[in-house]
Amino acid sequence: QSVLTQPPSASGTPGQRVTISCSGSSSNIGSNYVYWYQQVPGTAPKLLMYRNSQRPSGVPDRFSGSKSGTSASLAISGLRSEDEADYYCAAWDDSLSGPVFGGGTKLTVL
Amino acid sequence: EVQLVESGGGLVQPGGSLRLSCAASGFTFSNYWMHWVRQAPGKGLVWVSRINSDGSSTSYADSVKGRFTISRDNAKNTLYLQMNSLRAEDTAVYYCARAPAYGGIDYWGQGTLVTVSS
């Protein structure tokens, strides 16, 4: 059971906009930044979003992040086949003194 | 180019020990906090442990506290994870990961597989 809650799956057709949610508590998302990672099965995770809504260089602006209270979301617009992957949210947890992750959302591009 | 290369994984019997290493290059290792994160087969990411830049402060997930020890050698640009009293539920790919000043994790190694089985 992960500390942060994500839907196990999401899907969309090419060109669509998809949103993935992430829910936490006051000790993690409510008081700290949210990060998003993309993982293609069999490979290491890749940083997709930091500090709620900042994109590292090289990440397309089709990806956007937001946070409100103890929840956050990742939006992918103009969906492409190469976006098919697992997506994880994460945040520092003040009680744990370490980061906590969501259980991951498997995105399928139909 | 930032590189994190883990090694030391393998098959170990329950109750056994392993030491994982992570060789860092392409950045000033001594300036960064580092983490170990694991991923059981077909499961999600789970944080294991973190260490601050000079090794003076560490923290652990409850599931490994008292069994695992994180350490670093800044002269060798290497991060370690000593794992004792291993259990079947410790079976996972273990990733070494860098923590930037802005928080979170920005770079991950390719991972090393630890299998605990008799």
Side-chain angles (χ1 to χ4, degrees):
Chain A
Q1 181 114 354
S2 302
V3 175
L4 305 182
T5 301
Q6 297 180 236
S9 64
S11 63
T13 56
Q16 270 191 330
R17 184 177 187 270
V18 169
T19 300
I20 298 171
S21 63
C22 175
S23 177
S25 68
S26 58
S27 66
N28 42 68
I29 292 179
S31 53
N32 294 291
Y33 291 113
V34 176
Y35 302 80
W36 290 91
Y37 302 94
Q38 178 192 58
Q39 186 180 35
V40 175
T43 69
K46 168 191 165 185
L47 178 65
L48 203 59
M49 201 72 57
Y50 66 96
R51 289 197 166 183
N52 303 334
S53 59
Q54 303 302 303
R55 284 187 311 276
S57 63
V59 173
D61 60 6
R62 301 186 295 106
F63 293 87
S64 61
S66 64
K67 172 187 146 177
S68 178
T70 59
S71 295
S73 63
L74 174 73
I76 310 172
S77 60
L79 201 60
R80 303 176 66 157
S81 58
E82 58 259 40
D83 298 333
E84 193 161 281
D86 297 320
Y87 292 83
Y88 293 89
C89 60
W92 186 265
D93 190 285
D94 295 330
S95 302
L96 190 63
S97 290
V100 289
F101 291 89
T105 298
K106 182 177 183 61
L107 174 64
T108 301
V109 181
L110 301 169
Chain B
E1 179 195 4
V2 172
Q3 286 202 331
L4 299 168
V5 180
E6 301 94 335
S7 60
L11 176 63
V12 61
Q13 292 189 334
S17 298
L18 272 180
R19 188 175 85 153
L20 305 183
S21 299
C22 170
S25 61
F27 65 101
T28 305
F29 180 69
S30 59
N31 286 351
Y32 289 84
W33 288 30
M34 298 293 294
H35 296 279
W36 286 100
V37 177
R38 70 185 181 185
Q39 186 170 34
K43 302 296 184 181
L45 302 168
V46 176
W47 174 73
V48 173
S49 181
R50 68 92 184 150
I51 188 167
N52 69 347
S53 56
D54 67 4
S56 62
S57 173
T58 60
S59 61
Y60 301 89
D62 286 345
S63 58
V64 307
K65 203 171 292 184
R67 301 188 298 124
F68 290 13
T69 302
I70 190 172
S71 62
R72 66 191 296 160
D73 185 335
N74 285 344
K76 294 183 177 180
N77 292 336
T78 303
L79 176 72
Y80 302 101
L81 185 68
Q82 177 66 44
M83 305 186 296
N84 298 331
S85 303
L86 283 161
R87 307 166 180 166
E89 54 265 35
D90 295 319
T91 294
V93 173
Y94 284 73
Y95 293 102
C96 157
R98 188 181 84 163
Y102 56 70
I105 290 171
D106 61 353
Y107 285 95
W108 303 68
Q110 86 288 350
T112 187
L113 176 62
V114 172
T115 303
V116 184
S117 174
S118 55

